[in-house]
Amino acid sequence: MYHVQDDIYLDERDIDFGMIRAQGAGGQNVNKVSSAVHLRFDVRASSLPAHLKEALCALPDRRISKDGVIVIKAQSFRSQEKNRAEALERLAEMVRGAARPVKPRRPTRPTRASQRRRVQRKVLHGEVKRLRGRVADD
């Protein structure tokens, strides 16, 4: 079990790791060693609470497929263990973000002084635009 937050844990059996070769610079090490990690986590088949599954699937993140599978690729480090730990931490951060309660918006109204300033700016801007017009000969 991987501890995410207070009472939220990720089961290691729900997480699938695939090792691939990393992209980019690195020379012979990158060409020969599969140090990058491809983490796959099926949200709907996981042991997370139902409300958290819904919140995760509703996140506007391109790493979450329509089927509810989170795919994270970690290739920052040269060692497989560090990339694996980074991928797990990124997944945990996504779960923490989904578990955070949404703060309700309290509607506010602009103050009377700010309304006056806005109208005054509009009047001045209209005056500038009016003065840009044609000059009439009298």
Side-chain angles (χ1 to χ4, degrees):
M1 297 296 251
Y2 184 75
H3 182 259
V4 176
Q5 205 173 358
D6 304 325
D7 58 340
I8 302 171
Y9 292 90
L10 294 174
D11 193 356
E12 282 96 11
R13 293 174 293 199
D14 296 338
I15 302 169
D16 181 37
F17 289 100
M19 306 309 166
I20 57 174
R21 290 195 186 126
Q23 296 172 330
Q28 188 174 6
N29 187 62
V30 170
N31 296 334
K32 292 178 74 173
V33 181
S34 297
S35 60
V37 175
H38 225 146
L39 179 144
R40 294 178 63 81
F41 180 71
D42 190 356
V43 176
R44 295 197 174 111
S46 69
S47 60
L48 291 173
H51 68 91
L52 199 53
K53 288 181 186 181
E54 292 302 317
L56 265 173
C57 288
L59 285 176
D61 198 323
R62 62 181 175 84
R63 296 175 291 185
I64 304 173
S65 70
K66 288 185 174 99
D67 301 328
V69 177
I70 297 174
V71 178
I72 297 175
K73 183 178 180 183
Q75 61 179 7
S76 301
F77 300 101
R78 291 178 69 134
S79 75
Q80 203 174 78
E81 295 80 28
K82 286 184 181 179
N83 283 330
R84 185 182 176 109
E86 182 193 12
L88 268 173
E89 185 53 38
R90 282 200 246 160
L91 176 64
E93 190 58 39
M94 283 181 75
V95 174
R96 280 187 212 109
R100 195 172 302 125
V102 177
K103 189 175 175 182
R105 182 188 179 280
R106 292 177 47 210
T108 59
R109 298 190 63 177
T111 62
R112 184 163 292 168
S114 69
Q115 289 176 347
R116 283 191 187 124
R117 285 191 301 267
R118 183 180 63 85
V119 170
Q120 187 60 35
R121 276 197 309 268
K122 287 177 72 167
V123 168
L124 284 173
H125 189 63
E127 185 66 21
V128 166
K129 290 174 79 74
R130 189 185 63 76
L131 290 173
R132 287 188 193 144
R134 291 190 186 271
V135 178
D137 289 330
D138 286 334

Coordinates of all heavy atoms in Angstrom, one line a residue, residues 22-32 78:
A22 N 14.2 5.6 -22.5 CA 14.0 7.0 -22.4 C 14.3 7.7 -23.7 O 15.1 7.2 -24.5 CB 14.8 7.6 -21.3
Q23 N 13.7 8.9 -23.9 CA 14.0 9.7 -25.1 C 15.0 10.7 -24.8 O 15.3 11.0 -23.6 CB 12.7 10.3 -25.6 CG 11.6 9.4 -26.0 CD 10.3 10.1 -26.3 OE1 10.0 11.1 -25.7 NE2 9.6 9.6 -27.2
G24 N 15.6 11.4 -25.8 CA 16.4 12.5 -25.6 C 17.9 12.1 -25.5 O 18.3 11.0 -25.7
A25 N 18.7 13.1 -25.0 CA 20.1 12.9 -24.9 C 20.4 12.0 -23.8 O 19.7 11.8 -22.8 CB 20.8 14.3 -24.6
G26 N 21.6 11.4 -23.8 CA 22.1 10.4 -22.8 C 23.0 9.4 -23.4 O 23.6 8.6 -22.6
G27 N 23.2 9.4 -24.7 CA 24.2 8.6 -25.3 C 23.9 7.1 -25.1 O 22.8 6.6 -25.3
Q28 N 25.0 6.3 -24.9 CA 24.9 4.9 -24.8 C 23.9 4.4 -23.8 O 23.2 3.4 -23.9 CB 26.3 4.3 -24.6 CG 26.3 2.8 -24.8 CD 27.7 2.3 -24.7 OE1 28.6 3.0 -24.4 NE2 27.9 1.0 -24.9
N29 N 23.9 5.1 -22.6 CA 23.0 4.7 -21.6 C 21.5 4.7 -22.0 O 20.8 3.8 -21.7 CB 23.2 5.6 -20.3 CG 22.4 5.1 -19.1 OD1 22.7 4.0 -18.6 ND2 21.4 5.9 -18.7
V30 N 21.1 5.7 -22.7 CA 19.7 5.8 -23.2 C 19.4 4.8 -24.2 O 18.4 4.2 -24.3 CB 19.5 7.3 -23.8 CG1 18.1 7.3 -24.5 CG2 19.5 8.3 -22.6
N31 N 20.4 4.5 -25.1 CA 20.2 3.6 -26.2 C 20.1 2.1 -25.7 O 19.5 1.3 -26.4 CB 21.3 3.7 -27.2 CG 21.3 5.0 -27.8 OD1 20.3 5.7 -27.9 ND2 22.5 5.5 -28.3
K32 N 20.7 1.8 -24.5 CA 20.8 0.4 -24.1 C 19.9 0.0 -22.9 O 19.5 -1.1 -22.8 CB 22.3 0.1 -23.8 CG 23.2 0.1 -25.0 CD 24.6 -0.2 -24.5 CE 24.7 -1.7 -24.2 NZ 26.1 -2.1 -23.9
R78 N 18.3 8.9 -14.5 CA 19.0 7.8 -15.2 C 18.7 6.5 -14.6 O 18.9 5.4 -15.2 CB 20.5 8.1 -15.2 CG 20.9 9.3 -16.1 CD 22.3 9.5 -16.0 NE 23.1 8.5 -16.7 CZ 24.1 8.7 -17.5 NH1 24.5 9.9 -17.8 NH2 24.7 7.7 -18.1

